[in-house]
Amino acid sequence: MRGSLQAYKRVSVDSQLTSASPHRVISMLMAGAIERLIQGKAAMEQGSIAVKGERLGKALDIVISLRSCLSMEDGADIASNLDALYDYMIQQIYKANQDNLAEPIDDVIEMLREIKSAWDQIPAEYHNMTQLDV
């Protein structure tokens, strides 16, 4: 049953991505990173080392992907600042996983929530830009 639910979720996400604007894709990535971090922290607190590593690894992959989407030429100071923040988040996720610490995870979740909140406030007329200039 659980496998069927996971397959359904994958199909749902895949169909959302197919029709999503670049803006929506970034928003979905941020939400996914936050979700994986929360799951990783819960696994850490439960002593489930394998699940913790898998979830934090997925969150790390998402943050790395977000960082790779930055357009340093078009984004100017905003892209540069986000690059530094994403770099810090990557370091914090590594630290949390390696040292089994919840605090760095909480810090990254808070930063991602703030960035996502600002991202979600971008006016709709900019949501369908052809490049992912973040």
Side-chain angles (χ1 to χ4, degrees):
M1 179 68 152
R2 186 164 173 81
S4 298
L5 180 60
Q6 292 300 332
Y8 178 78
K9 284 182 181 179
R10 261 193 313 278
V11 169
S12 177
V13 169
D14 289 346
S15 66
Q16 288 179 42
L17 281 171
T18 302
S19 62
S21 68
H23 180 272
R24 177 74 179 126
V25 171
I26 297 296
S27 184
M28 290 172 69
L29 285 169
M30 288 183 203
I34 292 166
E35 183 178 342
R36 296 313 173 282
L37 288 165
I38 291 168
Q39 293 169 345
K41 181 181 171 188
M44 178 187 298
E45 291 168 348
Q46 296 167 356
S48 182
I49 304 304
V51 174
K52 174 200 77 167
E54 186 239 339
R55 294 302 193 281
L56 293 182
K58 286 184 179 185
L60 184 63
D61 288 344
I62 294 170
V63 173
I64 291 169
S65 293
L66 287 166
R67 187 177 187 200
S68 73
C69 291
L70 295 171
S71 174
M72 302 307 275
E73 293 145 12
D74 298 326
D77 289 342
I78 293 173
S80 179
N81 291 340
L82 283 171
D83 183 62
L85 279 173
Y86 288 141
D87 181 57
Y88 178 76
M89 288 180 207
I90 290 165
Q91 293 173 32
Q92 292 301 98
I93 295 169
Y94 275 127
K95 180 180 179 179
N97 194 26
Q98 182 177 5
D99 298 337
N100 217 39
L101 299 171
E103 187 177 328
I105 296 172
D106 291 334
D107 292 344
V108 174
I109 290 169
E110 182 61 30
M111 286 185 277
L112 279 171
R113 283 183 173 154
E114 287 185 35
I115 294 168
K116 185 177 183 314
S117 175
W119 184 258
D120 290 343
Q121 293 178 36
I122 293 174
E125 62 262 22
Y126 299 107
H127 289 195
N128 288 310
M129 293 177 66
T130 57
Q131 293 184 4
L132 296 177
D133 298 328
V134 287

